[in-house]
Amino acid sequence: MSDLVLDHLVYAGPDLEEAVERVAELTGVTPVRGGRHVGFGTANYLADLGAGAYLEVVGPDPDQPEHIGPRPFGIDELTAPALITWAARVDGIDEAIAEARERGYDPGEASEMSRATDDGELLTWRLTGAGGLDGLAPFLIDWGSTPHPTTRGLPSIPLLMVTGVHPEAAAVESAVRALGMDMLVRRDTKPGLVAVLTNSAGKQVALS
């Protein structure tokens, strides 16, 4: 299997500006606008986490007010911003899906998605569904020939580690292992992800 690595963390909320403000208040760093997911009713802001990974802050796009149907990542059900899932980057997504299935975990089928930047560029990629086991098993993303978001000079919020909590911690760990990755997961009644970041003052802060 091609090496899978952390691509990005997804911090989503019912109000995009509020979610961006939460990150800025916690870290002292304000993510910058990424663009709009046309047809999906969402838009995002981005920050660099280091080591080729980034933070995506995503929420309803005020410029797509007439969106019909559910938005990605269960955004319509959220009552407050939360770290809801993560993505693993792969080169050759169909092969990675097949290998994960052979190892006992099905990450789902890959589909196309795109984002329009404010300067009119259309970025495209392929990805699986929004992450299994309450978002703790990552979804897969293959950027193909599209330049990675971290090549765009994003503001930096260094990531130290990501851990998870879940009622079925062992199931999450085995799913992540089936994808050729590792994550520490401890048992708890309510599922969730916790990212430990370095804020602008050099102190450790937790985003969950």
Side-chain angles (χ1 to χ4, degrees):
M1 177 186 277
S2 339
D3 286 342
L4 271 70
V5 295
L6 170 66
D7 186 75
H8 66 279
L9 303 177
V10 179
Y11 186 71
D15 181 294
L16 182 54
E17 297 296 333
E18 182 201 355
V20 172
E21 282 172 21
R22 289 268 189 110
V23 172
E25 285 167 8
L26 179 72
T27 66
V29 177
T30 304
V32 295
R33 190 166 158 84
R36 303 163 55 212
H37 305 108
V38 178
F40 290 90
T42 54
N44 66 12
Y45 283 70
L46 310 174
D48 197 314
L49 296 173
Y54 67 97
L55 174 68
E56 176 183 26
V57 183
V58 63
D61 180 7
D63 294 332
Q64 298 181 70
E66 304 305 317
H67 179 75
I68 295 168
R71 292 177 175 87
F73 303 120
I75 280 169
D76 300 299
E77 281 80 57
L78 294 174
T79 55
L83 192 61
I84 55 165
T85 190
W86 58 298
R89 183 165 68 251
V90 63
D91 184 13
I93 194 167
D94 296 315
E95 295 84 356
I97 290 168
E99 290 192 28
R101 285 172 176 163
E102 284 173 12
R103 296 176 180 183
Y105 176 67
D106 185 0
E109 297 294 335
S111 60
E112 302 271 342
M113 196 164 173
S114 63
R115 168 162 62 84
T117 65
D118 287 348
D119 57 11
E121 187 180 2
L122 186 68
L123 310 178
T124 60
W125 60 91
R126 295 179 70 211
L127 78 172
T128 60
L133 294 157
D134 301 297
L136 268 76
F139 63 95
L140 307 184
I141 189 164
D142 185 341
W143 289 94
S145 59
T146 294
H148 194 259
T150 56
T151 62
R152 296 173 180 265
L154 303 174
S156 174
I157 310 174
L159 173 68
L160 300 175
M161 66 174 175
V162 182
T163 60
V165 291
H166 196 275
E168 297 175 41
V172 174
E173 288 186 334
S174 69
V176 174
R177 271 198 304 273
L179 296 168
M181 302 178 77
D182 282 303
M183 181 172 69
L184 180 66
V185 185
R186 56 185 180 79
R187 276 191 66 191
D188 206 332
T189 51
K190 192 176 174 199
L193 284 169
V194 180
V196 180
L197 307 165
T198 305
N199 71 9
S200 58
K203 301 274 178 24
Q204 290 185 18
V205 292
L207 183 69
S208 62

